[in-house]
Amino acid sequence: MQGKVALVTGGSRGIGAGIARAFLDEGATVAFSGTSSATVAKASAALGSGGSQHGFLADLSKPDAGPQLVDAVLEHFGRIDILVNNAGVVSRVGEWELTPEEWDRVHDVNLRASFFVARDCAVAMKRNGGGSILNVSSIAGQHGGIAGSPAYASSKAAVIGLTRSLARRFAPHGIRVNCIAPADIETDITATWPQELRDRLNLLTPLNRFGTISEVTGAAVFFASDEASFITGQTLSINGGAYMS
């Protein structure tokens, strides 16, 4: 990834931060976004000083935030070769309590922002002769979600459809679009889940455990690299066998 600039949305914590670190280790220059000045600063400090990484504040629930983020990255680094659409929000509001406002909140970040950030990055990638876009879905988008909200499951299913659509449309410009669909991964968020829930989820997983961030970042590095130069429109499940397609 030497000489390439990668943008990781939602890269200030969890899986996104792990992907940002992995890209840096592979020689990329990394831009990442977060919704809190404190988390962006903390993530930037953890990634290390120097000009090879920079954090940006962006609330992708707002319609203008995506284009503004892409413009800011281009102004700072001059190009974008790799995009990871990792920013997302979770909802556990059930079908009977789900409101239009909650539906829109989830879809605005998980789906709408993913499309518009991808499209704006693709404009820049076309000028460079190509690029790689990686969308982050979820096992919930594949099996409907054992627990949680139809808003979340449907938004993540739509991300898989969006991946296939953009892969076809961006291919003539040398832009590959792929997707990963993790299940339960050990992060600062899942660490707070009740043990009863964690045990129940492990029972539904043939490998009987949560995945690790490094087990996700390896796939992200592969898709973003030239090693995957003939792969586009694909979704890779990272779920310990909990869903087999």
Side-chain angles (χ1 to χ4, degrees):
M1 294 188 185
Q2 293 287 340
K4 294 184 178 181
V5 176
L7 167 59
V8 182
T9 67
S12 63
R13 61 189 299 185
I15 291 173
I19 292 174
R21 164 52 62 191
F23 284 0
L24 277 174
D25 291 345
E26 291 291 330
T29 297
V30 176
F32 68 91
S33 71
T35 57
S36 160
S37 297
T39 57
V40 167
K42 182 178 179 180
S44 185
L47 290 172
S49 60
S52 59
Q53 59 87 14
H54 189 80
F56 297 82
L57 195 62
D59 180 358
L60 292 175
S61 67
K62 303 185 184 311
D64 295 336
Q68 290 171 356
L69 172 62
V70 174
D71 286 346
V73 175
L74 289 172
E75 182 177 354
H76 191 88
F77 288 119
R79 61 187 293 143
I80 297 174
D81 304 284
I82 300 163
L83 165 67
V84 180
N85 265 322
N86 172 73
V89 294
V90 178
S91 174
R92 300 209 176 274
V93 180
E95 57 272 22
W96 307 117
E97 297 79 26
L98 188 61
T99 64
E101 291 77 18
E102 178 68 357
W103 178 276
D104 289 344
R105 182 186 75 87
V106 175
H107 280 76
D108 284 351
V109 177
N110 295 356
L111 181 59
R112 184 190 67 195
S114 292
F115 168 69
F116 285 104
V117 172
R119 188 184 68 179
D120 289 351
C121 284
V123 172
M125 291 175 181
K126 284 167 59 177
R127 295 195 293 265
N128 302 334
S132 175
I133 296 172
L134 181 65
N135 296 322
V136 179
S137 180
S138 164
I139 188 174
Q142 296 173 309
H143 66 21
I146 295 171
S149 170
Y152 180 75
S154 61
S155 71
K156 289 301 187 177
V159 166
I160 296 174
L162 177 67
T163 298
R164 294 169 179 162
S165 178
L166 294 184
R168 293 184 181 278
R169 285 157 176 78
F170 290 170
H173 306 291
I175 302 169
R176 298 181 297 104
V177 188
N178 290 292
C179 183
I180 55 175
D184 305 303
I185 305 298
E186 294 285 5
T187 67
D188 57 336
I189 295 176
T190 59
T192 66
W193 291 1
Q195 190 60 45
E196 179 183 0
L197 173 60
R198 293 171 61 90
D199 291 343
R200 182 160 63 92
L201 292 171
N202 284 340
L203 286 175
L204 298 172
T205 305
L207 290 183
N208 195 36
R209 64 175 177 85
F210 281 27
T212 66
I213 289 177
S214 65
E215 289 171 323
V216 178
T217 61
V221 167
F222 170 69
F223 275 128
S225 75
D226 292 339
E227 297 295 325
S229 57
F230 199 55
I231 301 175
T232 194
Q234 304 304 309
T235 297
L236 177 64
S237 300
I238 309 173
N239 59 32
Y243 175 81
M244 302 181 187
S245 57

